[in-house]
Amino acid sequence: MLHDNFIADITEDFALRIINLFRYIRKEKHEYVMSMQVYRSGTSIGANVSESKNA
């Protein structure tokens, strides 16, 4: 079984990568709708992990 902190760490790293992708899409590609969807879906994973730990 994986340790809870491991899951939290990898989801945080993933969220940071998603934020960087969001910034790139917005700045370089001038795309607003797609970048917001990537941002919302990519960063919600951390919230889901946090919620599952409290369940």
Side-chain angles (χ1 to χ4, degrees):
M1 182 173 167
L2 295 175
H3 193 266
D4 286 340
N5 288 335
F6 174 73
I7 299 294
D9 289 344
I10 62 172
T11 56
E12 182 180 351
D13 291 343
F14 181 75
L16 292 173
R17 291 183 69 186
I18 289 295
I19 291 168
N20 288 332
L21 177 61
F22 161 76
R23 290 177 179 163
Y24 169 78
I25 293 172
R26 239 164 137 179
K27 183 177 180 182
E28 300 296 324
K29 303 298 181 183
H30 304 288
E31 173 59 50
Y32 180 75
V33 175
M34 172 101 45
S35 67
M36 286 304 297
Q37 182 58 40
V38 167
Y39 179 81
R40 283 193 304 265
S41 62
T43 56
S44 69
I45 295 170
N48 293 337
V49 169
S50 177
E51 186 174 331
S52 71
K53 287 169 58 176
N54 295 328

